[in-house]
Amino acid sequence: MKVGIVGLPRSGKTTVFSALTGQQPDPALPPGRTTLGTVRVRDPRLEALHKLYPPAKLIFAEVVFADVAAAPGRKGLDRASLTAMRDFDAFAQVLRGFPDETGAPPDPARELADLEAELVLADLDVVERKLPRLQKGEKPAFPAEKELLGRLKEQLDANRPLRLAGLSAAEARNLSGYAFLSQKPLLAVLNVPEAAVREPVPEALAAAAAERQVRVLVLSGEVERQIAELDEESAREFLRDLGLVESAAQRFIAAAYGLLDLISFFTVGDDEVRAWTIRRGTEAVAAAGKIHTDLEQGFIRAEVMRSEDLLALGSEAKCREAGKLRLEGKNYVVQDGDILHIRHGK
Ligand SMILES: Nc1nc2c(ncn2[C@@H]2O[C@H](COP(=O)(O)OP(=O)(O)OP(=O)(O)O)[C@@H](O)[C@H]2O)c(=O)[nH]1
Ligand SMILES: [Mg+2]
């Protein structure tokens, strides 16, 4: 999963990116170029499972964050940034919660609305180029393409992001080639000074976010960036002093999982104990494909245990004896915390 850190110019995007990943993008990158940073998804269940297979490698699931180099001195988004943003699975919009370099007070509700307007305009531009060509008889990529784009145009003309267009899963799949910006899941990140990290979300922002069905995460990018540079023990102490339990990265990842409807399943063995990320509702055969395409193509059955059963009973043999090991077929819907062994042929 690739989450783009986006937002209006000078809102604190790069500061937040560094806080999440511990990485510092090269300030000389040309506009539109992205810097990627990978963060491990901490999971206490995975760490407990690893204790049952001590020689195995422990491999966490990962989330990739991206920071886009901005064109200097612009009020809105530049074209290069908009293009780079099409490549992300989801957005985290950083909202300025501190006075800017000229002393102007923050207005995060307006920033949320402004970025949305830019994304809607960019999508409208794409639809308005394509529709006339379809109307003139260009072969559609899927049967209802012309009608669907017509519906999207109405939404966009009314300044509504496609995220809120009530698209079916099949429609969303058909549209994936367009990479519409206002269709991508969005999480709002209010970047506040240290003293404000435990204050409630300002009312105007809470209202603007609720109207758009957007969740708001509050953090202090500056503080968390400093924490990201500390070793684990000092970082924990620093967070405790601030009254926080988890680092921004881990809070952020938990929110992103919820936003994108992601869950984890595990594979265990003497060589590796590993977490995998899938969307809720994924079937066993597709989950197998995450591990390796051979496992998807040659899929026969999945042996499934619950991680809490394996942790309670202590071994796969005991799970088998206790009837806690199930055989499931291709269409089994994998659950968060399942442990899978895929049986496959050639
Ligand atoms: N006071 C204060 N300043 C901050 C905070 N976060 C960022 N800044 C400052 O705001 C300015 C912009 O921060 P960046 O992280 O570079 O913002 P950006 O969105 O990446 O900026 P562009 O890439 O140029 O659009 C810098 O001068 C930061 O030092 C904060 O939490 N508090
Ligand atoms: Mg930046």
Side-chain angles (χ1 to χ4, degrees):
M1 176 181 44
K2 204 194 268 182
V3 179
I5 310 291
V6 303
L8 296 185
R10 313 305 286 163
S11 53
K13 301 180 292 294
T14 300
T15 306
V16 168
F17 172 82
S18 298
L20 294 172
T21 63
Q23 258 175 251
Q24 204 56 57
D26 176 356
L29 279 181
R33 286 284 290 278
T34 52
T35 304
L36 301 181
T38 303
V39 175
R40 298 191 316 188
V41 181
R42 296 301 287 267
D43 189 329
R45 297 171 301 183
L46 185 72
E47 287 166 80
L49 286 169
H50 184 236
K51 297 215 168 75
L52 301 178
Y53 303 85
K57 246 171 94 177
L58 172 61
I59 305 179
F60 291 88
E62 290 177 345
V63 174
V64 177
F65 292 104
D67 180 58
V68 184
R74 299 234 351 171
K75 274 198 92 102
L77 291 178
D78 52 279
R79 187 160 288 277
S81 294
L82 285 167
T83 304
M85 284 164 64
R86 296 199 184 277
D87 185 38
F88 305 146
D89 301 311
F91 294 145
Q93 181 182 358
V94 177
L95 304 167
R96 182 168 59 84
F98 51 89
D100 75 2
E101 285 130 326
T102 68
D107 189 353
R110 186 190 53 77
E111 286 192 9
L112 192 65
D114 282 0
L115 185 88
E116 179 177 277
E118 295 220 30
L119 302 187
V120 163
L121 266 183
D123 287 348
L124 190 58
D125 190 44
V126 173
V127 171
E128 283 179 341
R129 278 164 207 266
K130 182 72 180 184
L131 254 184
R133 304 214 310 256
L134 288 168
Q135 279 153 355
K136 276 191 206 134
E138 189 184 277
K139 193 170 169 297
F142 55 93
E145 188 173 19
K146 195 169 66 182
E147 288 75 8
L148 183 54
L149 287 194
R151 243 173 66 208
L152 299 189
K153 181 165 156 34
E154 279 173 30
Q155 281 280 327
L156 296 165
D157 278 334
N159 295 319
R160 284 177 62 79
L162 299 181
R163 226 169 353 97
L164 302 178
L167 297 170
S168 70
E171 286 169 337
R173 237 189 340 267
N174 278 334
L175 290 172
S176 62
Y178 283 101
F180 285 123
L181 296 170
S182 74
Q183 192 188 344
K184 296 183 191 282
L186 178 81
L187 176 72
V189 178
L190 181 62
N191 181 24
V192 296
E194 175 174 346
V197 279
R198 297 183 68 204
E199 280 173 21
V201 173
E203 233 168 83
L205 175 60
E211 194 187 308
R212 296 172 170 80
Q213 300 168 32
V214 166
R215 278 180 57 182
V216 183
L217 192 74
V218 180
L219 59 80
S220 170
E222 278 293 351
V223 173
E224 303 270 1
R225 190 173 53 76
Q226 292 162 20
I227 295 177
E229 286 165 7
L230 300 175
D231 62 75
E232 236 172 277
E233 186 49 39
S234 332
R236 250 199 306 277
E237 260 173 48
F238 199 155
L239 285 168
R240 235 191 341 258
D241 291 345
L242 285 171
L244 299 172
V245 182
E246 278 183 307
S247 70
Q250 295 305 320
R251 278 184 289 140
F252 194 102
I253 285 170
Y257 260 55
L259 171 76
L260 298 170
D261 221 9
L262 298 174
I263 59 170
S264 301
F265 76 89
F266 308 120
T267 51
V268 299
D270 289 325
D271 48 342
E272 75 180 30
V273 169
R274 181 163 183 168
W276 305 84
T277 306
I278 50 173
R279 267 184 208 263
R280 192 181 297 281
T282 298
E283 295 181 342
V285 63
K290 268 269 180 199
I291 303 171
H292 201 289
T293 45
D294 287 353
L295 298 191
E296 183 168 6
Q297 280 154 12
F299 184 97
I300 299 173
R301 290 216 175 291
E303 287 183 358
V304 184
M305 291 178 285
R306 294 292 308 156
S307 41
E308 59 271 20
D309 288 338
L310 180 55
L311 289 170
L313 296 169
S315 76
E316 288 173 58
K318 293 228 173 81
C319 281
R320 197 182 294 272
E321 272 168 39
K324 298 292 190 190
L325 199 149
R326 289 171 279 136
L327 282 181
E328 300 282 2
K330 281 188 175 181
N331 302 116
Y332 168 70
V333 175
V334 177
Q335 305 294 309
D336 186 44
D338 275 352
I339 298 169
L340 302 189
H341 275 304
I342 308 298
R343 290 197 190 163
H344 65 108
K346 287 281 158 237

mmCIF file of all heavy atoms in Angstrom, residues 175-196:
data_model
loop_
_atom_site.group_PDB
_atom_site.id
_atom_site.type_symbol
_atom_site.label_atom_id
_atom_site.label_comp_id
_atom_site.label_asym_id
_atom_site.label_seq_id
_atom_site.Cartn_x
_atom_site.Cartn_y
_atom_site.Cartn_z
ATOM 1 N N LEU A 175 -13.152 1.840 -13.363
ATOM 2 C CA LEU A 175 -12.582 3.192 -13.463
ATOM 3 C C LEU A 175 -11.117 3.247 -13.063
ATOM 4 O O LEU A 175 -10.500 4.312 -13.147
ATOM 5 C CB LEU A 175 -13.377 4.156 -12.573
ATOM 6 C CG LEU A 175 -14.801 4.494 -13.020
ATOM 7 C CD1 LEU A 175 -15.508 5.303 -11.942
ATOM 8 C CD2 LEU A 175 -14.788 5.270 -14.337
ATOM 9 N N SER A 176 -10.557 2.117 -12.620
ATOM 10 C CA SER A 176 -9.231 2.196 -11.989
ATOM 11 C C SER A 176 -8.171 2.766 -12.945
ATOM 12 O O SER A 176 -7.242 3.442 -12.500
ATOM 13 C CB SER A 176 -8.806 0.838 -11.429
ATOM 14 O OG SER A 176 -8.713 -0.092 -12.487
ATOM 15 N N GLY A 177 -8.341 2.529 -14.258
ATOM 16 C CA GLY A 177 -7.372 3.043 -15.219
ATOM 17 C C GLY A 177 -7.320 4.566 -15.253
ATOM 18 O O GLY A 177 -6.295 5.150 -15.617
ATOM 19 N N TYR A 178 -8.396 5.224 -14.876
ATOM 20 C CA TYR A 178 -8.418 6.688 -14.871
ATOM 21 C C TYR A 178 -7.621 7.271 -13.702
ATOM 22 O O TYR A 178 -7.210 8.419 -13.753
ATOM 23 C CB TYR A 178 -9.860 7.198 -14.771
ATOM 24 C CG TYR A 178 -10.632 7.123 -16.076
ATOM 25 C CD1 TYR A 178 -11.538 6.104 -16.314
ATOM 26 C CD2 TYR A 178 -10.448 8.092 -17.049
ATOM 27 C CE1 TYR A 178 -12.256 6.046 -17.500
ATOM 28 C CE2 TYR A 178 -11.154 8.046 -18.237
ATOM 29 C CZ TYR A 178 -12.059 7.021 -18.464
ATOM 30 O OH TYR A 178 -12.752 6.974 -19.633
ATOM 31 N N ALA A 179 -7.459 6.478 -12.621
ATOM 32 C CA ALA A 179 -6.768 6.955 -11.417
ATOM 33 C C ALA A 179 -7.304 8.321 -10.973
ATOM 34 O O ALA A 179 -6.536 9.257 -10.730
ATOM 35 C CB ALA A 179 -5.256 7.012 -11.652
ATOM 36 N N PHE A 180 -8.632 8.437 -10.889
ATOM 37 C CA PHE A 180 -9.241 9.702 -10.463
ATOM 38 C C PHE A 180 -8.769 10.085 -9.059
ATOM 39 O O PHE A 180 -8.768 9.260 -8.141
ATOM 40 C CB PHE A 180 -10.770 9.586 -10.468
ATOM 41 C CG PHE A 180 -11.361 9.625 -11.838
ATOM 42 C CD1 PHE A 180 -12.159 8.578 -12.289
ATOM 43 C CD2 PHE A 180 -11.128 10.699 -12.686
ATOM 44 C CE1 PHE A 180 -12.730 8.612 -13.558
ATOM 45 C CE2 PHE A 180 -11.685 10.744 -13.961
ATOM 46 C CZ PHE A 180 -12.487 9.701 -14.397
ATOM 47 N N LEU A 181 -8.376 11.341 -8.904
ATOM 48 C CA LEU A 181 -7.799 11.789 -7.634
ATOM 49 C C LEU A 181 -8.838 11.910 -6.532
ATOM 50 O O LEU A 181 -8.589 11.570 -5.387
ATOM 51 C CB LEU A 181 -7.105 13.137 -7.839
ATOM 52 C CG LEU A 181 -5.907 13.101 -8.793
ATOM 53 C CD1 LEU A 181 -5.444 14.509 -9.110
ATOM 54 C CD2 LEU A 181 -4.777 12.282 -8.194
ATOM 55 N N SER A 182 -10.039 12.405 -6.896
ATOM 56 C CA SER A 182 -11.036 12.634 -5.846
ATOM 57 C C SER A 182 -11.745 11.335 -5.466
ATOM 58 O O SER A 182 -12.612 11.321 -4.619
ATOM 59 C CB SER A 182 -12.047 13.691 -6.283
ATOM 60 O OG SER A 182 -12.944 13.174 -7.247
ATOM 61 N N GLN A 183 -11.353 10.227 -6.125
ATOM 62 C CA GLN A 183 -11.943 8.925 -5.785
ATOM 63 C C GLN A 183 -11.122 8.214 -4.713
ATOM 64 O O GLN A 183 -11.578 7.257 -4.088
ATOM 65 C CB GLN A 183 -11.989 8.067 -7.061
ATOM 66 C CG GLN A 183 -12.833 6.800 -6.943
ATOM 67 C CD GLN A 183 -12.669 5.911 -8.188
ATOM 68 O OE1 GLN A 183 -12.182 6.357 -9.234
ATOM 69 N NE2 GLN A 183 -13.069 4.658 -8.065
ATOM 70 N N LYS A 184 -9.898 8.659 -4.480
ATOM 71 C CA LYS A 184 -9.014 7.936 -3.566
ATOM 72 C C LYS A 184 -9.391 8.185 -2.109
ATOM 73 O O LYS A 184 -9.768 9.302 -1.745
ATOM 74 C CB LYS A 184 -7.560 8.364 -3.807
ATOM 75 C CG LYS A 184 -7.063 7.986 -5.198
ATOM 76 C CD LYS A 184 -5.615 8.345 -5.366
ATOM 77 C CE LYS A 184 -5.174 8.219 -6.814
ATOM 78 N NZ LYS A 184 -4.922 6.832 -7.219
ATOM 79 N N PRO A 185 -9.269 7.154 -1.265
ATOM 80 C CA PRO A 185 -9.550 7.334 0.157
ATOM 81 C C PRO A 185 -8.652 8.416 0.745
ATOM 82 O O PRO A 185 -7.494 8.556 0.339
ATOM 83 C CB PRO A 185 -9.201 5.973 0.779
ATOM 84 C CG PRO A 185 -9.160 5.006 -0.349
ATOM 85 C CD PRO A 185 -8.838 5.789 -1.582
ATOM 86 N N LEU A 186 -9.203 9.183 1.666
ATOM 87 C CA LEU A 186 -8.478 10.330 2.222
ATOM 88 C C LEU A 186 -8.553 10.339 3.748
ATOM 89 O O LEU A 186 -9.613 10.121 4.334
ATOM 90 C CB LEU A 186 -9.114 11.614 1.666
ATOM 91 C CG LEU A 186 -8.540 12.931 2.155
ATOM 92 C CD1 LEU A 186 -7.269 13.268 1.388
ATOM 93 C CD2 LEU A 186 -9.549 14.066 1.968
ATOM 94 N N LEU A 187 -7.407 10.591 4.350
ATOM 95 C CA LEU A 187 -7.319 10.759 5.799
ATOM 96 C C LEU A 187 -6.778 12.163 6.031
ATOM 97 O O LEU A 187 -5.848 12.576 5.341
ATOM 98 C CB LEU A 187 -6.338 9.714 6.343
ATOM 99 C CG LEU A 187 -5.989 9.735 7.824
ATOM 100 C CD1 LEU A 187 -7.180 9.256 8.644
ATOM 101 C CD2 LEU A 187 -4.794 8.807 8.083
ATOM 102 N N ALA A 188 -7.377 12.917 6.962
ATOM 103 C CA ALA A 188 -6.867 14.265 7.243
ATOM 104 C C ALA A 188 -5.906 14.203 8.430
ATOM 105 O O ALA A 188 -6.165 13.512 9.415
ATOM 106 C CB ALA A 188 -8.023 15.206 7.557
ATOM 107 N N VAL A 189 -4.790 14.921 8.302
ATOM 108 C CA VAL A 189 -3.794 14.945 9.370
ATOM 109 C C VAL A 189 -3.579 16.389 9.773
ATOM 110 O O VAL A 189 -3.025 17.181 9.006
ATOM 111 C CB VAL A 189 -2.461 14.351 8.877
ATOM 112 C CG1 VAL A 189 -1.408 14.417 9.970
ATOM 113 C CG2 VAL A 189 -2.659 12.919 8.402
ATOM 114 N N LEU A 190 -4.048 16.748 10.953
ATOM 115 C CA LEU A 190 -3.870 18.119 11.423
ATOM 116 C C LEU A 190 -2.519 18.217 12.117
ATOM 117 O O LEU A 190 -2.270 17.550 13.130
ATOM 118 C CB LEU A 190 -5.016 18.490 12.377
ATOM 119 C CG LEU A 190 -4.973 19.911 12.931
ATOM 120 C CD1 LEU A 190 -5.073 20.936 11.804
ATOM 121 C CD2 LEU A 190 -6.089 20.125 13.951
ATOM 122 N N ASN A 191 -1.637 19.036 11.552
ATOM 123 C CA ASN A 191 -0.266 19.169 12.050
ATOM 124 C C ASN A 191 -0.199 20.367 12.999
ATOM 125 O O ASN A 191 -0.218 21.510 12.568
ATOM 126 C CB ASN A 191 0.670 19.357 10.844
ATOM 127 C CG ASN A 191 2.121 19.476 11.247
ATOM 128 O OD1 ASN A 191 2.525 19.005 12.303
ATOM 129 N ND2 ASN A 191 2.913 20.106 10.383
ATOM 130 N N VAL A 192 -0.148 20.090 14.306
ATOM 131 C CA VAL A 192 -0.260 21.161 15.310
ATOM 132 C C VAL A 192 1.034 21.311 16.106
ATOM 133 O O VAL A 192 1.877 20.419 16.105
ATOM 134 C CB VAL A 192 -1.411 20.867 16.306
ATOM 135 C CG1 VAL A 192 -2.750 20.866 15.588
ATOM 136 C CG2 VAL A 192 -1.176 19.554 17.047
ATOM 137 N N PRO A 193 1.198 22.463 16.819
ATOM 138 C CA PRO A 193 2.343 22.615 17.725
ATOM 139 C C PRO A 193 2.240 21.618 18.886
ATOM 140 O O PRO A 193 1.152 21.129 19.198
ATOM 141 C CB PRO A 193 2.206 24.042 18.244
ATOM 142 C CG PRO A 193 1.198 24.720 17.383
ATOM 143 C CD PRO A 193 0.362 23.663 16.780
ATOM 144 N N GLU A 194 3.386 21.375 19.504
ATOM 145 C CA GLU A 194 3.472 20.381 20.581
ATOM 146 C C GLU A 194 2.382 20.544 21.643
ATOM 147 O O GLU A 194 1.769 19.564 22.069
ATOM 148 C CB GLU A 194 4.856 20.500 21.241
ATOM 149 C CG GLU A 194 5.009 19.596 22.434
ATOM 150 C CD GLU A 194 6.436 19.605 22.993
ATOM 151 O OE1 GLU A 194 7.344 20.111 22.290
ATOM 152 O OE2 GLU A 194 6.621 19.112 24.112
ATOM 153 N N ALA A 195 2.118 21.787 22.044
ATOM 154 C CA ALA A 195 1.184 22.024 23.144
ATOM 155 C C ALA A 195 -0.249 21.618 22.795
ATOM 156 O O ALA A 195 -1.084 21.462 23.682
ATOM 157 C CB ALA A 195 1.209 23.498 23.534
ATOM 158 N N ALA A 196 -0.526 21.451 21.510
ATOM 159 C CA ALA A 196 -1.926 21.220 21.100
ATOM 160 C C ALA A 196 -2.225 19.774 20.728
ATOM 161 O O ALA A 196 -3.337 19.456 20.318
ATOM 162 C CB ALA A 196 -2.271 22.134 19.922
#
